[in-house]
Amino acid sequence: MRRARIFHQGRDLWAEVSTDGETLLLPSGARIAASGAHWLPPVTPGATIFALGLNYADHNAELGFKAKEPPLVFLKGPNTLVGHQGITPRPADADQMHPECELVAVIGRPGKRIPRARALEHVAGYTVACDYAIREYLENYYRPNLRVKNRDATTPLGPWIVDAADIPDPQALAITTSVDGRIVQSGSTRDMVLDVAGLIEYLSETMTLLPGDMILTGTPQGLHFVSPGERVVCEIEGVGALVNHVEAAAR
């Protein structure tokens, strides 16, 4: 099953997505066209949002870095999120802003010190993120500071959450990013340095993971600096295709 969060008739609600992705079933039993929906990020308010840097071997090689052990982890605020078909502003001085397609694991069961062998039992489902990076703002080239990773609306999320039962192996999914129809990023979740189960084990050693918490698991190789007016699509096999529109930021 796929669950989407939308804004409809003045209310924030969850809807079930049809198999073909064309319609949304509302809690009232009514159906609406997905094409006309106002999509919200499919995240529970108050959830902790973890993000990973340098968690793909091919991306590390592309940037000239070695694999990170322990992983590079940072947190994202709710202000960063925008839903499917949303708009991301590109700052006027950000000529090196690029999309990063990421598999997102959504926690469904609470846990602390979760063993790797049981880690995937704590996953409710998966969604897609486009975690834009702005290279001009990086410190020491790859330190994900506030201006790089916590700017408003620079982390599109969605379109929906796919149940974990529908993704039997989260480490065997193709990842692509296209800009105006041209593929600029291509990879597979098998290339993660620390896989989903390993990330859950690592994070839960420090803090209790709660239902709704999200783990952005990193991105494969492929750099493309976006410009205002471009349409970005981040797609993960079996999960979905997240669409975002880049616009020039208001001064």
Side-chain angles (χ1 to χ4, degrees), residues 44-60:
T44 303
T48 300
I49 304 168
F50 302 92
L52 271 291
L54 305 177
N55 195 41
Y56 273 73
D58 57 357
H59 188 47
N60 292 346

Side-chain angles (χ1 to χ4, degrees), residues 41-174:
V43 61
T44 303
T48 300
I49 304 168
F50 302 92
L52 271 291
L54 305 177
N55 195 41
Y56 273 73
D58 57 357
H59 188 47
N60 292 346
E62 178 181 37
L63 298 175
F65 289 103
K66 294 181 179 180
K68 295 293 291 183
E69 288 284 356
L72 174 62
V73 182
F74 54 97
L75 303 181
K76 300 182 75 70
N79 62 291
T80 64
L81 303 179
V82 65
H84 176 55
Q85 294 287 0
I87 294 170
T88 290
R90 196 199 79 164
D93 59 348
D95 293 328
Q96 297 182 35
M97 175 172 154
H98 64 90
E100 297 183 341
C101 185
E102 307 199 18
L103 177 69
V104 182
V106 184
I107 298 299
R109 289 172 48 192
K112 179 75 180 290
R113 299 187 181 90
I114 302 167
R116 176 188 174 83
R118 307 298 298 271
L120 294 185
E121 297 174 14
H122 290 258
V123 177
Y126 298 92
T127 188
V128 182
C130 176
D131 191 11
Y132 284 102
I134 303 174
R135 296 205 165 273
E136 286 97 337
Y137 299 159
L138 285 167
E139 297 174 1
N140 299 324
Y141 190 64
Y142 211 96
R143 183 179 174 188
N145 60 22
L146 179 70
R147 293 204 304 162
V148 177
K149 290 294 188 176
N150 272 282
R151 304 183 72 89
D152 292 346
T154 53
T155 308
L157 189 74
W160 44 62
I161 295 174
V162 175
D163 285 350
D166 295 328
I167 307 294
D169 184 0
Q171 305 309 142
L173 307 176

